[in-house]
Amino acid sequence: QTVNLMWSGAITGPTSDAGAPYAAGVEDYCRYANETNAVPGVTFNCIVRDDQYNNANTQRNFEEAIDLEVPIFLGYSTGGTLQLKPLVQEVGVPVVPASMHIGNIDPPNNDYIFLPTTSYSEQVIALLEFIAKESPGAKVALVVHPSAFGRAPIEDARRAAEELGIEIVEVQETGANLDYTAMLTRFAERGVQYVVHQNVAGPVAQILKDSKRLGLNLKHAGAHYTGGEDLLRLAGDAADGFLWATSFYLWNEDAPGIRLQRELGERYGRSEDIIRSVNYTNGMMAAGIAIEAVRIAKEKFGEVNAETVYQALMEMNWDSGFGVGPVTYGPDDHTGVDHLRVLQAKDGAFQPISEPFTSALFRKVHFQQ
Amino acid sequence: MSVHPVRPEDLGPILLEVNNIEVVYHDIIQVLRGVSLKVPEGRITALLGPNGAGKTTTLRAISGLLVPEDGAVRDGSILYRGRPIHNRPPEEIVQQGIVQVPEGRHVFKHLTVEENLRVGAVTQRNGSIREGLERIYHYFPRLRDLRNRLAGYTSGGEQQMLAIGRALLAKPRLLLLDEPSLGLAPLLVREIFEIVARINAEEGVTVVVVEQNASAALSVAHYGYIMEQGKIVLEGTAEALSENPDVKEFYLGVAKSGGRKSFREVKAYKRRKRFM
Amino acid sequence: MTYFLQLLVSGVVVGSIYALAALGFVLIYKASRVINFAHGQYIAVGAFTAYALAVFLNMSVWLAGLIALLTTALLGFLTERVFLKPMVGQPIISVIMVTIGLASVIDGLVHLTPFGAGNFSFPAFLPEGGIALGGISVSYPQLLAVGFTALFLLLFGWFFQKSTLGIAMRAVADDQMAAMSLGVSVEKVFALAWAAAGLTAAASGLVVGAISGLNLSALTAIGLKVFPAVILGGLDSIAGAVVGGIIIGVLENLAAGYLDPFVPGGGTRDVFPFVVLLLVLWFKPYGLFGTEEIERV
Amino acid sequence: MRYPWAQTGNYRTSYRQDTTIFATYWEQLSLWVLIAALLVLPRFLERSQMAVVDLIVIYAIAVLGLNITTGYAGLINIGQAAFMGVGAYTAALVAPYLPFWLTLPVGGLVAAVAGVIVGIPSLRIKHLYLAIATLAFQLIFEWIVGHSPALEQGGAIAMPRVTFLGYAVGFRNHHFFWYYVALVVLVLLAFAFRNLLRTRYGRALVAVRDNDRAADAMGMDPGRTKLFAFGLGAFYAGVAGALFAYWSRAVVIEDYMLSTSIELLAMAIVGGLGTFVGSFLGPAFLVLLDINVETLSEWIKSFGITPAGIDVASGLRPLVFGLVIVLFLIFEPRGLANWWRLLRSYFKNWPFKY
Amino acid sequence: MQLQVKDVTLTFGGLNALSGVTLSVNQGELVSVIGPNGAGKSSLLNCISGFYHPTRGEITFEGHDLTHASPHQITRYGIARAFQNIELFSGLSVLENLMLARHTYLRYNLLHAALFFGRAQAEEVENRRVVEDVIDFMELEPYRKALVGNLPYGVRKRVEVARALALEPKLLLLDEPMAGMTLEEKEDMVRFILDIRAERGTTIILIEHDLGVVMDISDRVYVLDFGEVIAEGPPEVVAQNPRVLEAYVGGAV
Ligand SMILES: Nc1ncnc2c1ncn2[C@@H]1O[C@H](COP(=O)(O)OP(=O)(O)OP(=O)(O)O)[C@@H](O)[C@H]1O
Ligand SMILES: Nc1ncnc2c1ncn2[C@@H]1O[C@H](COP(=O)(O)OP(=O)(O)OP(=O)(O)O)[C@@H](O)[C@H]1O
Ligand SMILES: [Mg+2]
Ligand SMILES: [Mg+2]
């Protein structure tokens, strides 16, 4: 039996620096699954589509995927996923986006969308908790990407800051600029101590470099897509001290998923840059979730379709080896890996400075739990 | 009048020879149908004819400026000092000493008068531009006063002077003038033709001038051709042409009685039925 | 006060990058009245060529930069020959669309190399840090930007005002046929303009690469930032490109410094230049230094 | 005429006849045949193919508008996607309160107002400067949406599911339903387009393009004519945008960004700028081309010969898109419409060669 | 008095194209304006037709103030012009060029136009008839559907005049309608001008460098030099004025 899978994301266009390795991850894991016969009796036909960060393309791809009767769809952007929500709800095909926007799994129309890991909101709140512990009452600025992706955690972050007794002095949206002097000096003038980023690596690196050049006493932290090897490479030693929250293991750690990633990357001729990319890991995990769900569905219901895969996801508890915790879903739990760690850049590498944990504060401010 | 009609050869060595050329625009519109003419060196040759006869086209064929108009010489040849030059790129032809002053002046509106002149010197390798400019200002003292004015803001006559001066800076041996009197007041027409005659006399520059204003052109020219519908229909020395009765009536506007025709009379002999 | 000065200084620095990019843009416009929407792509090509030479072939970044300048100039020259030459005499919209198509073609080609996605950074080739003047700091890559801009400004300024070839280039823009009648080779002029534009584009690519790393979309985006600068300065003015670029850089920074706190979400620097652009177009349609279209009836 | 169907040439014997669009009855007939074919088309296509057809129809509406502004009035507009966006956001805001057939014109009208506002610079500036002004408008539009909480800052605003004559439009019939809606809208707007262009409105547009000083001397206000051109072009875009919103079930800023504006321009050019048929051929060609290049690159990739890290599709799509534009401009500046013309005259004269 | 130009001065960055020009034209007159190049003849016409606005002075036409009016307003008052450098819609046919001149006579609205029904169609047909008459009058029948850009120069000049005529003006401004024409074509043009006047009583202001034409057909002549009127009167009188001879002809005619 052949099962079609499709990923649609930005290999080109905005955010392609994350999208390209992500796509590679999806592709390679799929291949691996076929080679190792991961689901007995099932071959996967994995289609990887570049939607150029354009929602019309995403939608077209998604609809084609439905015609191909994919049991589960791998998505990408925040905008694209938010747009698809009503349709996903209508057709009942599970979707795993790369975007960790909490809005994807908030009502309405949220039944079939599953985040692979903790949300941006949770990551940012975890960082705020960390900051509050380090310097109580700290003044914080939030710098975010000018898109739905960037704005995702703002509301939750404000509420969390209130709870934590720290002050969010400013929220700034910023894409790629050549210079951040104005913003940074103003932060400094207003007594900001920490800058928390929800962005992609490029702008963050530039901000870190400017911050260092200006000799400002600012500490920086950021959510999943801000960090990783890209940041280290672009910012150089300006990255030192950067705090990073993510649910993934890093390429230089000894985790089962990472070992697999290295092996596959080398086997399929990926460049070292890709192999080290956390988004490569990310893509592998997304593909992994899909394939694992298909495996469970096949094993349990004997047939693979959107409905059975959805049922499979509902009871999934898969230790992927890529994330710092198991991927678990349930009726009230649409985040896969519920744990995350805070890491810090030092001498050109990220070192974990916390154990994996889940943020109770996040649950409190977001779900009022 | 002499027994033999004077031929161009009699006026000087032939500098340029157009042999039976046919010119086609856009690969389909044939404009010249076998035009032949000879230009004696050191003389002024006039080319007259009604609108659309193909005078401009003939000049363009010589100077290579058919290219930007999507035209080409299909048949025949153009020999300059015995060497073929038809269908060569214009910059090459300018370098050999043939410069055309286009119809309608075409000054560079956004350049100053002096900059306009300097463009004329672009093909001059090492000659001093200063010297060339002085020469132009000698012929056209008015341009010296206007040297820093944008050419777009000068009057029609000044633009015509500029266009001629600009061409002279390219040190032509053969200057092609296309309707230099177009839109000029009588005073300026005369001034321009006087200067053309002086340039020809003082520097020995050979000139071909295309004109609607036949009397002005024939007053300075040595030899003339008359062209109609893409063909040369008449040629001769300027004097001979001025005496020709057809030329007199159709080009010089002389009435049968000998005096000037009045425009008031046109109504009488061309009235037609209409419906208004 | 230092706050203001710091904004001003870094505004000038960023502005001179825009100015450098705008220069190349203006060169093409000046000679051929073409707006080049592929300018950002040339910037990217320049930067990636230098990177490839420096990293893959282990050249010194300086040498790699030099070769990149020349290669991009050659690319400019070739694109003119291949794509723009057949367009002579076509309406402006067609020519604009050719450059847009060209941008897409170059994008596609870059995607067929390893540079399509991802972030890269030059090996260090400038000393660490920078100079600090009374509490205002400027890094070496930023100084490089200012230096390049000044250099090209002087070079092209002289060229267009004083050299015969430069004047002939302006003449071509004014009236091609008349220029041809005087022996100016229009083809050569266009090709030269595109080559020069390629050269300056590569220079901006190098500078941007040095300052903020290499990323295809970030590099090509600079091609858009050029518009406010050239409109402000005047589409066909070399000095205007530089002044316009610098003013836009400064205004951007002042907007970011003084407006952002009052606008929810901030980010005014991204839009402010374009608002300025519209205002300039309204009050001074030909910019500060652009030549006014002479229209007589 | 006794046998109108036997008519082969263009016999017009009165001024009134000379104002008709169709020279021959054959042409009228073939138009009806075409419309009939379009009506039954969905019977032969899959749902996902219909999605593509819908897209073409919707873009064709926007391109018709662009052809008014840019093709006929000669005002280069690099912000047509923003006008679509205005229509789409308007639709999203009013859709909960209005039936969809009212939402569409409302979207168009609001876009038309935006068009007139954007056209204001055209009162003072021309040509490329104007082109850049529209570009600025496009970018300012993107920024404003990004900063408007009421528009979800560019995030998704879901469009309500439409019920028509008591029948709810769902996933299975979504594309079929919107196909018919879009088709009706297209036919109406195309009809208006053709008519407008042969009246004083259309002539005025062409006049300001050709020579706005002379137009002024003819007693038409060039300023108002340009604003009209922008307004009308934007109206078409606005309607297209509103349709696009329904078609994609949600409004997201990414669909109305600069790249879309450029694609629309490309469609107009490839179709043949300022031509009627070009407004349909261009979108059809480029949309289908893109899909086929995608398929092609997937095919190439299936051989596994491309080096890792290089995505063929990502490279080929912009490459082919750009090449098509450039090649068309160089070799067939009059676009597909010209091929169409040649083809038609071939059939008209058949069996003769000329 | 139909047209009154009072003490008009026009300045371009310090340069006075016109200084204190006063001029009046009566209904049905044919008035010529002559003068050296750059004397300000075209500028004067541009002031009357609204393309330039005088720096000082005022212009009135049948009680309408033209001083600050825009060209399209002035056209509606009944003034039409032909340009010195041909300003046709070169991408359109002769017919379309002339139909454009009927713009202000067409009154149907956008809805009529979009449906092309009833009023729109009727008006189009009606105005088409007027245009055809003009085509006939100017003997342009063979070129009716030809693109203007491809026509010979002389014909294009004629189309310009025809287009102005299609506006059915009360005052017609002609800026060098015969420049660059052969004698024969000039004669044709003169014939048209005389006929226009004879058949329609249109007032005409003519700028022309060909003194022969001017002297033969004008009722009155104004001579401009350096933006000032240096002479005015019947042609025979003006032709004898020594200032005119010196400034314009540089000696005897
Ligand atoms: N670029 C062109 N494309 C097509 N036809 C052209 C072109 N240039 C000129 N023609 C045609 O060629 C014919 C001759 O034109 P040409 O300009 O040579 O005449 P001319 O004798 O100089 O007339 P004039 O006195 O009006 O300048 C005319 O019928 C004209 O329409
Ligand atoms: N738009 C303008 N800007 C600046 N100067 C102008 C403008 N229009 C005309 N001029 C100047 O005003 C003066 C008068 O020009 P105008 O065109 O009226 O002369 P003219 O008498 O019509 O000459 P010609 O017989 O050559 O047509 C000239 O010096 C001219 O340079
Ligand atoms: Mg001619
Ligand atoms: Mg004049």
Side-chain angles (χ1 to χ4, degrees), chain C:
Chain C
M1 197 60 206
T2 24
Y3 180 52
F4 177 75
L5 280 182
Q6 179 71 63
L7 291 186
L8 203 64
V9 170
S10 50
V12 169
V13 170
V14 175
S16 51
I17 299 173
Y18 296 158
L20 196 55
L23 261 178
F25 191 85
V26 166
L27 280 171
I28 290 175
Y29 185 81
K30 225 174 151 58
S32 55
R33 296 284 124 111
V34 171
I35 282 198
N36 179 16
F37 273 89
H39 203 67
Q41 275 67 22
Y42 286 96
I43 293 175
V45 169
F48 287 129
T49 311
Y51 179 88
L53 292 171
V55 173
F56 301 155
L57 299 182
N58 271 322
M59 277 182 200
S60 94
V61 177
W62 292 104
L63 180 64
L66 187 68
I67 299 178
L69 287 180
L70 298 178
T71 330
T72 318
L74 183 70
L75 177 73
F77 174 84
L78 289 178
T79 35
E80 197 282 330
R81 274 294 125 117
V82 178
F83 297 111
L84 274 304
K85 212 176 116 188
M87 298 307 296
V88 173
Q90 298 282 355
I92 333 178
I93 170 94
S94 310
V95 185
I96 290 193
M97 278 312 288
V98 166
T99 67
I100 287 178
L102 200 59
S104 194
V105 169
I106 298 179
D107 263 341
L109 289 176
V110 174
H111 277 300
L112 295 179
T113 71
F115 298 118
N119 298 302
F120 306 84
S121 57
F122 284 128
F125 68 107
L126 288 166
E128 273 284 303
I131 54 170
L133 296 165
I136 293 161
S137 76
V138 181
S139 73
Y140 285 109
Q142 292 182 329
L143 281 178
L144 185 69
V146 179
F148 260 131
T149 308
L151 176 75
F152 283 117
L153 170 66
L154 292 178
L155 201 70
F156 289 118
W158 172 85
F159 177 75
F160 279 109
Q161 288 312 317
K162 296 284 178 257
S163 82
T164 305
L165 185 58
I167 296 174
M169 270 174 95
R170 285 161 56 205
V172 166
D174 214 327
D175 190 327
Q176 284 183 27
M177 193 274 294
M180 285 169 86
S181 81
L182 295 167
V184 179
S185 166
V186 174
E187 292 185 6
K188 246 182 239 163
V189 162
F190 286 173
L192 187 69
W194 280 79
L199 192 80
T200 53
S204 12
L206 289 178
V207 169
V208 176
I211 290 179
S212 55
L214 299 87
N215 172 282
L216 182 62
S217 39
L219 287 166
T220 50
I222 296 174
L224 280 185
K225 278 284 165 95
V226 161
F227 286 103
V230 292
I231 287 290
L232 181 57
L235 270 177
D236 60 353
S237 164
I238 295 289
V242 173
V243 174
I246 290 178
I247 292 180
I248 291 294
V250 170
L251 284 180
E252 241 188 49
N253 249 18
L254 294 182
Y258 293 108
L259 289 182
D260 273 1
F262 303 107
V263 176
T268 49
R269 71 184 309 151
D270 294 326
V271 76
F272 195 63
F274 289 96
V275 175
V276 172
L277 181 157
L278 287 182
L279 291 177
V280 172
L281 279 176
W282 185 256
F283 291 106
K284 233 170 156 344
Y286 296 97
L288 297 177
F289 302 98
T291 39
E292 214 161 300
E293 206 58 53
I294 297 180
E295 280 195 347
R296 287 174 60 180
V297 282

Side-chain angles (χ1 to χ4, degrees), chain B residues 51 190 263 274-276, chain E residues 136 139 185 195 200 216 250:
Chain B
N51 287 120
R190 217 156 64 207
F263 282 97
R274 50 187 63 105
F275 308 91
M276 313 219 47
Chain E
D136 227 23
E139 292 167 17
E185 285 169 323
D195 280 352
R200 309 188 157 199
D216 286 349

Side-chain angles (χ1 to χ4, degrees), chain B residues 153 156, chain C residues 296, chain E residues 12 15 17 36-43 52 84 176 209:
Chain B
Y153 292 134
Chain C
R296 287 174 60 180
Chain E
F12 289 112
L15 172 112
N37 294 105
K41 305 180 295 297
S42 299
S43 301
Y52 293 166
Q84 176 170 2
E176 302 193 23
H209 281 306

Side-chain angles (χ1 to χ4, degrees), chain A residues 300-332:
Chain A
K300 214 165 153 206
F301 307 102
E303 83 184 287
V304 181
N305 57 34
E307 187 46 41
T308 57
V309 167
Y310 175 71
Q311 293 302 336
L313 281 168
M314 279 296 137
E315 55 195 64
M316 178 179 271
N317 186 343
W318 176 51
D319 199 356
S320 68
F322 299 115
V324 295
V327 176
T328 56
Y329 294 117
D332 294 325

Side-chain angles (χ1 to χ4, degrees), chain B residues 56 59-60 65 99-107 160 163-164 166-167 176-180 182, chain C residues 175 177-182:
Chain B
T56 301
L59 293 194
R60 283 185 189 146
L65 287 178
V99 184
Q100 178 176 357
V101 178
E103 183 176 30
R105 314 194 263 271
H106 287 277
V107 295
Q160 188 63 53
I164 297 177
R166 192 174 65 176
L176 309 174
L177 295 177
D178 197 352
E179 298 205 30
L182 185 73
Chain C
D175 190 327
M177 193 274 294
M180 285 169 86
S181 81
L182 295 167

Side-chain angles (χ1 to χ4, degrees), chain A residues 119-255:
Chain A
S119 64
Y120 305 132
S121 300
E122 182 162 2
Q123 290 157 13
V124 166
I125 289 173
L127 289 169
L128 291 180
E129 285 179 296
F130 197 89
I131 289 166
K133 219 179 291 160
E134 195 172 82
S135 30
K139 288 186 168 182
V140 180
L142 221 53
V143 175
V144 304
H145 193 261
S147 65
F149 152 74
R151 294 173 197 117
I154 294 176
E155 273 321 299
D156 287 336
R158 283 191 199 281
R159 275 186 240 135
E162 211 165 288
E163 295 276 330
L164 291 167
I166 58 181
E167 187 189 348
I168 294 189
V169 181
E170 256 186 56
V171 178
Q172 279 295 317
E173 297 183 0
T174 184
N177 277 321
L178 291 174
D179 179 83
Y180 290 95
T181 307
M183 185 182 83
L184 291 170
T185 32
R186 194 180 61 240
F187 285 170
E189 295 237 314
R190 301 183 74 175
V192 170
Q193 295 154 276
Y194 290 88
V195 184
V196 178
H197 299 266
Q198 159 62 353
N199 216 320
V200 288
V204 177
Q206 182 68 28
I207 292 173
L208 296 183
K209 282 195 282 185
D210 283 344
S211 180
K212 181 163 184 241
R213 168 173 60 84
L214 295 165
L216 298 176
N217 193 19
L218 292 172
K219 290 183 184 163
H220 295 267
H224 173 77
Y225 284 108
T226 62
E229 286 302 288
D230 264 7
L231 184 75
L232 299 174
R233 196 170 54 233
L234 287 173
D237 52 9
D240 269 2
F242 185 81
L243 297 171
W244 182 35
T246 180
S247 294
F248 289 99
Y249 284 119
L250 298 192
W251 66 278
N252 52 3
E253 290 181 277
D254 189 34

Side-chain angles (χ1 to χ4, degrees), chain B residues 25-26 29 31 49-58 60 69-70 103 178-179 210 212 227, chain E residues 150-154 180:
Chain B
Y25 284 113
H26 311 294
I29 309 168
V31 171
N51 287 120
K55 307 179 297 292
T56 301
T57 306
T58 309
R60 283 185 189 146
E69 302 286 333
D70 192 21
E103 183 176 30
D178 197 352
E179 298 205 30
V210 161
Q212 294 292 355
M227 182 174 208
Chain E
N150 295 342
L151 293 176
Y153 179 83

